[in-house]
PDB file of all heavy atoms in Angstrom:
ATOM      1  N   VAL A 643    -148.486 -10.857  75.516  1.00  0.00           N
ATOM      2  CA  VAL A 643    -147.024 -10.788  75.548  1.00  0.00           C
ATOM      3  C   VAL A 643    -146.418 -12.029  74.854  1.00  0.00           C
ATOM      4  O   VAL A 643    -146.862 -13.137  75.123  1.00  0.00           O
ATOM      5  CB  VAL A 643    -146.530 -10.762  77.005  1.00  0.00           C
ATOM      6  CG1 VAL A 643    -145.007 -10.701  77.065  1.00  0.00           C
ATOM      7  CG2 VAL A 643    -147.149  -9.617  77.766  1.00  0.00           C
ATOM      8  N   SER A 644    -145.459 -11.813  74.002  1.00  0.00           N
ATOM      9  CA  SER A 644    -144.726 -12.915  73.433  1.00  0.00           C
ATOM     10  C   SER A 644    -143.238 -12.531  73.390  1.00  0.00           C
ATOM     11  O   SER A 644    -142.876 -11.437  73.757  1.00  0.00           O
ATOM     12  CB  SER A 644    -145.217 -13.201  71.994  1.00  0.00           C
ATOM     13  OG  SER A 644    -144.622 -12.277  71.117  1.00  0.00           O
ATOM     14  N   SER A 645    -142.450 -13.472  72.927  1.00  0.00           N
ATOM     15  CA  SER A 645    -141.011 -13.197  72.930  1.00  0.00           C
ATOM     16  C   SER A 645    -140.670 -12.072  71.931  1.00  0.00           C
ATOM     17  O   SER A 645    -139.612 -11.510  71.999  1.00  0.00           O
ATOM     18  CB  SER A 645    -140.238 -14.459  72.575  1.00  0.00           C
ATOM     19  OG  SER A 645    -140.672 -14.876  71.283  1.00  0.00           O
ATOM     20  N   THR A 647    -142.367  -9.312  71.760  1.00  0.00           N
ATOM     21  CA  THR A 647    -142.793  -8.023  72.342  1.00  0.00           C
ATOM     22  C   THR A 647    -141.572  -7.205  72.695  1.00  0.00           C
ATOM     23  O   THR A 647    -140.604  -7.702  73.290  1.00  0.00           O
ATOM     24  CB  THR A 647    -143.635  -8.269  73.614  1.00  0.00           C
ATOM     25  OG1 THR A 647    -144.659  -9.217  73.313  1.00  0.00           O
ATOM     26  CG2 THR A 647    -144.229  -6.978  74.129  1.00  0.00           C
ATOM     27  N   SER A 648    -141.583  -5.926  72.339  1.00  0.00           N
ATOM     28  CA  SER A 648    -140.434  -5.065  72.651  1.00  0.00           C
ATOM     29  C   SER A 648    -140.430  -4.685  74.124  1.00  0.00           C
ATOM     30  O   SER A 648    -139.385  -4.692  74.753  1.00  0.00           O
ATOM     31  CB  SER A 648    -140.472  -3.812  71.795  1.00  0.00           C
ATOM     32  OG  SER A 648    -140.657  -4.125  70.438  1.00  0.00           O
ATOM     33  N   VAL A 661    -146.256 -10.561  84.789  1.00  0.00           N
ATOM     34  CA  VAL A 661    -145.568 -11.771  85.235  1.00  0.00           C
ATOM     35  C   VAL A 661    -145.011 -12.511  84.040  1.00  0.00           C
ATOM     36  O   VAL A 661    -143.835 -12.930  84.006  1.00  0.00           O
ATOM     37  CB  VAL A 661    -146.520 -12.682  86.032  1.00  0.00           C
ATOM     38  CG1 VAL A 661    -145.771 -13.911  86.549  1.00  0.00           C
ATOM     39  CG2 VAL A 661    -147.155 -11.903  87.171  1.00  0.00           C
ATOM     40  N   ARG A 662    -145.864 -12.651  83.037  1.00  0.00           N
ATOM     41  CA  ARG A 662    -145.488 -13.368  81.834  1.00  0.00           C
ATOM     42  C   ARG A 662    -144.244 -12.687  81.190  1.00  0.00           C
ATOM     43  O   ARG A 662    -143.293 -13.371  80.770  1.00  0.00           O
ATOM     44  CB  ARG A 662    -146.689 -13.333  80.857  1.00  0.00           C
ATOM     45  CG  ARG A 662    -146.380 -13.708  79.447  1.00  0.00           C
ATOM     46  CD  ARG A 662    -146.713 -15.171  79.175  1.00  0.00           C
ATOM     47  NE  ARG A 662    -146.464 -15.506  77.785  1.00  0.00           N
ATOM     48  CZ  ARG A 662    -145.609 -16.455  77.411  1.00  0.00           C
ATOM     49  NH1 ARG A 662    -144.953 -17.153  78.283  1.00  0.00           N
ATOM     50  NH2 ARG A 662    -145.407 -16.735  76.127  1.00  0.00           N
ATOM     51  N   ALA A 663    -144.241 -11.352  81.142  1.00  0.00           N
ATOM     52  CA  ALA A 663    -143.148 -10.612  80.538  1.00  0.00           C
ATOM     53  C   ALA A 663    -141.836 -10.959  81.272  1.00  0.00           C
ATOM     54  O   ALA A 663    -140.798 -11.216  80.663  1.00  0.00           O
ATOM     55  CB  ALA A 663    -143.404  -9.108  80.633  1.00  0.00           C
ATOM     56  N   GLN A 664    -141.928 -10.986  82.619  1.00  0.00           N
ATOM     57  CA  GLN A 664    -140.740 -11.284  83.409  1.00  0.00           C
ATOM     58  C   GLN A 664    -140.258 -12.705  83.128  1.00  0.00           C
ATOM     59  O   GLN A 664    -139.075 -12.937  82.958  1.00  0.00           O
ATOM     60  CB  GLN A 664    -141.080 -11.138  84.873  1.00  0.00           C
ATOM     61  CG  GLN A 664    -140.022 -10.359  85.598  1.00  0.00           C
ATOM     62  CD  GLN A 664    -140.520  -9.866  86.950  1.00  0.00           C
ATOM     63  OE1 GLN A 664    -141.527 -10.342  87.485  1.00  0.00           O
ATOM     64  NE2 GLN A 664    -139.832  -8.876  87.511  1.00  0.00           N
ATOM     65  N   GLU A 665    -141.211 -13.617  83.042  1.00  0.00           N
ATOM     66  CA  GLU A 665    -140.855 -15.015  82.814  1.00  0.00           C
ATOM     67  C   GLU A 665    -140.087 -15.208  81.510  1.00  0.00           C
ATOM     68  O   GLU A 665    -139.122 -15.965  81.461  1.00  0.00           O
ATOM     69  CB  GLU A 665    -142.145 -15.873  82.743  1.00  0.00           C
ATOM     70  CG  GLU A 665    -142.671 -16.294  84.118  1.00  0.00           C
ATOM     71  CD  GLU A 665    -144.056 -16.903  84.030  1.00  0.00           C
ATOM     72  OE1 GLU A 665    -144.567 -17.089  82.886  1.00  0.00           O
ATOM     73  OE2 GLU A 665    -144.613 -17.196  85.087  1.00  0.00           O
ATOM     74  N   ILE A 666    -140.555 -14.557  80.464  1.00  0.00           N
ATOM     75  CA  ILE A 666    -139.876 -14.799  79.192  1.00  0.00           C
ATOM     76  C   ILE A 666    -138.821 -13.735  78.865  1.00  0.00           C
ATOM     77  O   ILE A 666    -138.292 -13.701  77.778  1.00  0.00           O
ATOM     78  CB  ILE A 666    -140.895 -14.942  78.028  1.00  0.00           C
ATOM     79  CG1 ILE A 666    -141.707 -13.653  77.862  1.00  0.00           C
ATOM     80  CG2 ILE A 666    -141.815 -16.135  78.250  1.00  0.00           C
ATOM     81  CD1 ILE A 666    -142.587 -13.709  76.611  1.00  0.00           C
ATOM     82  N   GLY A 667    -138.534 -12.900  79.846  1.00  0.00           N
ATOM     83  CA  GLY A 667    -137.444 -11.941  79.690  1.00  0.00           C
ATOM     84  C   GLY A 667    -137.734 -10.751  78.812  1.00  0.00           C
ATOM     85  O   GLY A 667    -136.829 -10.187  78.188  1.00  0.00           O
ATOM     86  N   VAL A 668    -139.001 -10.361  78.718  1.00  0.00           N
ATOM     87  CA  VAL A 668    -139.332  -9.153  77.968  1.00  0.00           C
ATOM     88  C   VAL A 668    -139.189  -7.936  78.887  1.00  0.00           C
ATOM     89  O   VAL A 668    -139.567  -8.001  80.052  1.00  0.00           O
ATOM     90  CB  VAL A 668    -140.758  -9.266  77.381  1.00  0.00           C
ATOM     91  CG1 VAL A 668    -141.255  -7.897  76.879  1.00  0.00           C
ATOM     92  CG2 VAL A 668    -140.774 -10.288  76.242  1.00  0.00           C
ATOM     93  N   LYS A 669    -138.677  -6.862  78.323  1.00  0.00           N
ATOM     94  CA  LYS A 669    -138.407  -5.675  79.133  1.00  0.00           C
ATOM     95  C   LYS A 669    -139.712  -5.062  79.671  1.00  0.00           C
ATOM     96  O   LYS A 669    -140.715  -4.981  78.964  1.00  0.00           O
ATOM     97  CB  LYS A 669    -137.721  -4.653  78.217  1.00  0.00           C
ATOM     98  CG  LYS A 669    -137.144  -3.463  78.944  1.00  0.00           C
ATOM     99  CD  LYS A 669    -136.155  -2.734  78.047  1.00  0.00           C
ATOM    100  CE  LYS A 669    -136.877  -2.183  76.825  1.00  0.00           C
ATOM    101  NZ  LYS A 669    -135.936  -1.566  75.885  1.00  0.00           N
ATOM    102  N   SER A 670    -139.696  -4.598  80.948  1.00  0.00           N
ATOM    103  CA  SER A 670    -140.823  -3.916  81.521  1.00  0.00           C
ATOM    104  C   SER A 670    -140.485  -2.438  81.718  1.00  0.00           C
ATOM    105  O   SER A 670    -139.384  -2.100  82.102  1.00  0.00           O
ATOM    106  CB  SER A 670    -141.166  -4.486  82.894  1.00  0.00           C
ATOM    107  OG  SER A 670    -141.568  -5.830  82.766  1.00  0.00           O
TER     108      SER A 670
END
Side-chain angles (χ1 to χ4, degrees):
V643 181
S644 80
S645 60
T647 308
S648 310
V661 183
R662 166 98 178 120
Q664 226 163 17
E665 276 170 5
I666 62 173
V668 166
K669 191 164 64 185
S670 296

